[in-house]
Amino acid sequence: MIFPIFVVMTLLEIYVLVSVGESIGGFSTILLVVITALIGSTLLKQQGWSTMAKAQNAMANGQTPAFEMMEGVVILVSGVLLLTPGFITDGIGLLGLMPFSRAYFIDRILSKNAEKVFSKKNGPFIHKDQSNKTKDKNGTIDGEFWED
């Protein structure tokens, strides 16, 4: 599944680069690709630090920084796309660095996959109970815990 996407994206990037190069010239095209990479790396640094600060704030408030972790993944992928030469990957990478579109992507991913990730039959919640712990009818496990 990934290999055909990789081939198609590469061919599209070459086509767009050649088309733009014919329109504005080869040097201008290369300069434009370098400028978008510089702008992208600046945005990548700024958004990365911002997300790190939000994650630290969430942890300081006793919350799990799950959304911030997803933001970090999207920012990482966007950074890789921005470092890849081409206008299509730069456009997608810049969308991933914009906070409003990043939140939209994350919401879409979570809404489609939350049931798979958090379901009891697919998640890490299944275990074989081979100890002396007891379960009630709701699945609550009664046990003891102590530190040495």
Side-chain angles (χ1 to χ4, degrees):
M1 177 68 185
I2 292 178
F3 182 72
I5 292 173
F6 179 74
V7 170
V8 169
M9 282 302 295
T10 302
L11 293 174
L12 282 172
E13 286 288 7
I14 291 170
Y15 176 76
V16 170
L17 283 169
V18 168
S19 297
V20 171
E22 287 176 350
S23 297
I24 65 173
F27 181 75
S28 298
T29 303
I30 292 171
L31 189 63
L32 194 56
V33 168
V34 170
I35 289 171
T36 58
L38 291 174
I39 291 171
S41 65
T42 303
L43 280 173
L44 178 65
K45 182 179 176 183
Q46 178 212 7
Q47 292 300 312
W49 284 114
S50 172
T51 301
M52 178 67 82
K54 287 192 289 187
Q56 288 176 340
N57 190 23
M59 287 188 291
N61 291 332
Q63 301 169 338
T64 303
F67 188 79
E68 290 80 6
M69 290 170 60
M70 288 292 294
E71 278 188 314
V73 170
V74 173
I75 289 171
L76 176 68
V77 171
S78 297
V80 169
L81 289 172
L82 283 166
L83 293 176
T84 305
F87 295 116
I88 298 171
T89 54
D90 285 350
I92 296 169
L94 286 173
L95 280 176
L97 291 180
M98 304 292 176
F100 59 88
S101 59
R102 183 172 59 236
Y104 174 77
F105 291 143
I106 292 170
D107 287 341
R108 296 286 294 182
I109 291 169
L110 289 179
S111 68
K112 289 187 177 204
N113 296 310
E115 187 174 320
K116 292 178 196 172
V117 172
F118 297 112
S119 73
K120 285 189 177 183
K121 68 179 182 181
N122 293 330
F125 303 105
I126 290 183
H127 56 82
K128 295 182 180 178
D129 191 14
Q130 298 176 352
S131 65
N132 61 357
K133 296 180 265 181
T134 59
K135 291 184 182 182
D136 67 4
K137 65 181 179 178
N138 295 326
T140 304
I141 299 172
D142 183 25
E144 294 181 27
F145 175 79
W146 64 90
E147 290 186 33
D148 288 329

